[in-house]
Amino acid sequence: MTEIVLWGTALGVGTFGYRLAGVQLKSKLHLSERTSLLLTAASVILLLALIASSTLVDGHHFAGWARPAGVAVGGVLAWRKAPFVVVVLAAAAVAAGLRLLGVD
C-alpha cells in the first residue's frame, strides 16, 4: 500500500513540476513560427489518435458500430457548441439505442 502512495505522490509531484516548468519557461523559450505550428498540429493529431483508438478498439478487437456512432453524434453536437450535458446524453442515447436494436 505504501508503494502505491509513494508512486502516486511521485507522479503528482512530477506532473505539477512539468506544468510549472511550462509556465516558467514560456517567457524564456522562443520558438519559431514554424515550430509553433508543428507543435499545435502534433497536439491535435495526438488527440485525434487517442479518440480514434478509444472509439474504434475494445481490447484487441473492433468495438462495433454503436460506440463510433455515439461518438460521432457527440462530436457533431460539440462542434455545433451544444451544452456538454446534451452532448454526453445524446451520444449515450445513440449508442444505447443502437445496441438495443441489435447493432453491436
Side-chain angles (χ1 to χ4, degrees):
M1 181 68 169
T2 57
E3 186 174 318
I4 293 172
V5 172
L6 287 174
W7 276 108
T9 303
L11 288 172
V13 169
T15 301
F16 180 76
Y18 185 74
R19 290 182 179 206
L20 183 63
V23 172
Q24 295 295 324
L25 292 175
K26 186 174 181 178
S27 62
K28 296 176 181 164
L29 184 65
H30 299 287
L31 301 174
S32 68
E33 185 176 332
R34 178 171 166 74
T35 303
S36 180
L37 288 173
L38 285 173
L39 288 174
T40 301
S43 64
V44 170
I45 290 168
L46 285 172
L47 182 59
L48 288 174
L50 176 64
I51 290 169
S53 65
S54 63
T55 299
L56 300 173
V57 180
D58 188 14
H60 294 301
H61 304 289
F62 178 61
W65 293 104
R67 188 188 301 174
V71 171
V73 167
V76 168
L77 289 173
W79 175 58
R80 302 291 295 162
K81 297 189 183 347
F84 180 71
V85 174
V86 173
V87 171
V88 172
L89 291 177
V94 167
L98 287 173
R99 287 183 179 143
L100 188 65
L101 293 172
V103 177
D104 188 24

